Amino acid sequence: MAIWLKQGSTAAARADLDRKVRDVVESTLADIETRGDAAVRDLSIKFDTWDRDDYRLSDREIQDCMDQLTGQDLKDIEFAQTQVRNFAQIQRNSMKDVEVETLPGVVLGHKHIPVNAAGCYVPGGKYPLLASAHMSVITAKVAGVPRVITCAPPFEGKPAPAIVAAQHMAGADAIYALGGIQAIGAMALGTESIERVDMLVGPGNAFVAEAKRQLFGRVGIDLFAGPTETMVIADDSVDGEICATDLLGQAEHGPDSPAILITNSEKLARDTMREIERLLTILPTASIAAKAWETYGEIIVCEDEAEMARIADDYANEHVQVMTRDPEYFLNTMTNYGALFLGPRTNVAFGDKVIGTNHTLPTKKAARYTGGLWVGKFIKTCTYQNVTTDAASALIGEYCSRLCALEGFAGHGEQANIRVRRYGGRNVPYAGAVAPSGATALRHEPATNHI
């Protein structure tokens, strides 16, 4: 049976915080919908001390940001974006349109159609998280979205040069220096100066995640990507220092970022706890990471790998790093996670910044029903049908007529009946059901894929 050497905050405490966030977001979105640009400006001044007549950056402002980066900075961004673009293109290539003749004269198909406009949020209040620009803008562009706009909050009183450069290099069609609920609300609801989008994507703090949740339905969203979560699954093939490093490496995101160790070695668990205390004395971001670890850190000692996998699946964490003798066991066993990082040679930071997989991932147990952001999130899979012969229309109509009668849908039934009359030459009473013909069944040919 698993033993918790350290537990995080209770579910009740988290639910109370969630309620407070929900109330703030609800009233803020209502204000944006009512007052538009005026509300957005007031909120930007209130939360970011950031006032502009127009929050869209000009071409000159974008170039000024580019000029503030070194040549090596730009090369590094370009390298990361190339990895993200390459993997996104591989994913897009895996999505095929389909057209198939399921019966003689009956053609069914689906097409992958990108949304018309996407809004990408790039968090940057505490740190200029330029990687989120790669993950959202590039992925949308590879998916074929015609209009991609992006918002990021100011950093230290001005647009963050690295974020703006990454947004521009990724191919954003418009860049706004705007953060928080006001950015999400403006993109989703539209204002006098910001045309609304069809889809919202990108990670953010609890307020951003809640704003996306409340707007879902009016616009599409990628997923609920709230405060970062990390989990390390490890055995005694690694040491406490590397486990502690990887836990704190994600805990520094914010004071509400859970960091969890699951292990079958009590010695490793206790070594990790000691290493965390040591590293917190030298980590430059310790003031944030320590608060996250104190409030949301957990250490769980399990009997075996099966129990480790079962508990990890129950948590359904965003990032799951596996450092065991047999990491493939967890790849083959686990079903609930945002992304897996297998073996000690990789880590969550590689995925966050550069390796190519997307870092916008599900949090708060959403990994039970969705994966992370990918090209498919920007694409609608839309079906179509085409009946090309009279005989096929009459056959399908005959079955449809009787099935509609079973449901009591006379109007639906007449849609079938009129076609049986016209294309099958049969006399069907109005609002009646077509009697079985017995001789009109078409021979079922093997399906033929036309695309």
Side-chain angles (χ1 to χ4, degrees):
M1 180 180 293
I3 299 171
W4 271 252
L5 297 186
K6 183 184 184 309
Q7 289 187 302
S9 67
T10 65
R14 298 185 193 191
D16 183 59
L17 179 60
D18 287 345
R19 279 191 295 271
K20 292 176 181 177
V21 170
R22 185 164 59 246
D23 291 344
V24 170
V25 170
E26 185 175 6
S27 61
T28 303
L29 290 176
D31 188 28
I32 293 170
E33 186 167 22
T34 301
R35 297 196 299 124
D37 280 339
V40 169
R41 186 174 185 179
D42 289 346
L43 291 163
S44 183
I45 294 170
K46 177 181 178 181
F47 292 113
D48 291 324
T49 320
W50 179 241
D51 186 16
R52 289 170 62 106
D53 292 329
D54 185 355
Y55 287 92
R56 179 174 178 174
L57 299 186
S58 66
D59 291 344
R60 179 54 190 267
E61 289 176 307
I62 293 170
Q63 188 58 53
D64 285 346
C65 288
M66 297 280 291
D67 291 343
Q68 293 178 55
L69 273 64
T70 67
Q72 187 62 54
D73 292 336
L74 296 174
K75 287 181 180 178
D76 291 344
I77 293 172
E78 183 180 15
F79 177 84
Q81 292 194 345
T82 297
Q83 311 319 305
V84 173
R85 186 177 290 106
N86 285 348
F87 191 64
Q89 189 63 60
I90 290 168
Q91 291 181 308
R92 180 64 186 90
N93 293 345
S94 74
M95 302 178 69
K96 304 297 184 182
D97 288 352
V98 170
E99 185 173 282
V100 60
E101 187 175 36
T102 57
L103 291 169
V106 176
V107 177
L108 308 181
H110 75 223
K111 291 176 64 67
H112 295 301
I113 304 172
V115 300
N116 288 309
C120 302
Y121 187 75
V122 179
K126 291 187 181 73
Y127 309 104
L129 300 180
L130 62 119
S132 288
H134 323 327
M135 306 296 175
S136 57
V137 177
I138 287 175
T139 307
K141 284 297 185 181
V142 171
V145 179
R147 183 171 72 93
V148 180
I149 70 171
T150 181
C151 287
F155 181 70
E156 297 180 347
K158 61 181 182 179
I163 287 181
V164 174
Q167 291 168 321
H168 177 66
M169 293 167 67
D173 297 298
I175 299 172
Y176 295 87
L178 197 59
I181 306 170
Q182 59 270 28
I184 298 298
M187 289 191 290
L189 301 171
T191 70
E192 299 90 329
S193 65
I194 301 177
E195 185 179 354
R196 69 172 180 82
V197 299
D198 303 311
M199 182 91 183
L200 283 174
V201 303
N205 62 20
F207 293 93
V208 167
E210 175 61 20
K212 288 170 63 180
R213 188 192 71 80
Q214 292 190 20
L215 288 163
F216 177 56
R218 302 180 70 167
V219 293
I221 66 170
D222 48 358
L223 44 93
F224 300 127
T228 291
E229 304 166 348
T230 198
M231 173 180 286
V232 172
I233 297 175
D235 61 19
D236 60 7
S237 64
V238 293
D239 56 53
E241 181 186 26
I242 196 169
C243 292
T245 298
D246 290 339
L247 290 166
L248 294 179
Q250 294 300 302
E252 73 176 359
H253 266 281
D256 52 357
S257 293
I260 301 165
L261 171 66
I262 296 180
T263 180
N264 56 2
S265 168
E266 184 172 345
K267 180 180 184 302
L268 177 65
R270 297 194 182 280
D271 286 347
T272 300
M273 293 174 75
R274 284 190 290 269
E275 283 296 314
I276 286 174
E277 295 304 314
R278 181 183 70 83
L279 292 175
L280 284 173
T281 66
I282 58 176
L283 181 67
T285 55
S287 61
I288 297 172
K291 179 64 174 175
W293 178 247
E294 177 187 356
T295 308
Y296 295 101
E298 298 190 38
I299 291 187
I300 307 165
V301 180
C302 300
E303 291 186 359
D304 52 30
E305 288 188 336
E307 188 174 49
M308 292 161 72
R310 179 180 60 78
I311 291 176
D313 259 346
D314 183 62
Y315 273 77
N317 257 37
E318 176 187 17
H319 304 108
V320 179
Q321 183 164 343
V322 181
M323 295 188 290
T324 63
R325 289 180 177 83
D326 182 18
E328 294 285 325
Y329 170 81
F330 294 90
L331 175 63
N332 296 328
T333 303
M334 288 185 63
T335 59
N336 299 333
Y337 53 85
L340 282 181
F341 303 83
L342 300 172
R345 293 180 181 84
T346 190
N347 62 85
V348 176
F350 284 6
D352 276 350
K353 310 303 178 187
V354 67
I355 208 166
T357 54
N358 206 291
H359 80 187
T360 303
L361 301 167
T363 65
K364 293 188 174 181
K365 291 184 177 286
R368 291 175 299 123
Y369 58 83
T370 186
L373 181 60
W374 71 297
V375 289
K377 293 283 187 177
F378 295 99
I379 291 174
K380 304 171 292 182
T381 301
C382 301
T383 60
Y384 62 90
Q385 58 176 266
N386 186 13
V387 179
T388 61
T389 67
D390 292 353
S393 184
L395 174 72
I396 299 298
E398 178 182 320
Y399 282 100
C400 184
S401 174
R402 293 193 294 270
L403 291 168
C404 290
L406 281 175
E407 296 179 344
F409 267 130
H412 283 64
E414 268 306 300
Q415 289 181 267
N417 292 344
I418 194 172
R419 285 161 176 82
V420 174
R421 296 185 195 109
R422 294 190 178 189
Y423 300 116
R426 298 183 64 185
N427 185 17
V428 183
Y430 186 83
V434 179
S437 64
T440 59
L442 297 179
R443 186 165 57 91
H444 190 165
E445 302 282 351
T448 303
N449 188 352
H450 293 299
I451 291 182

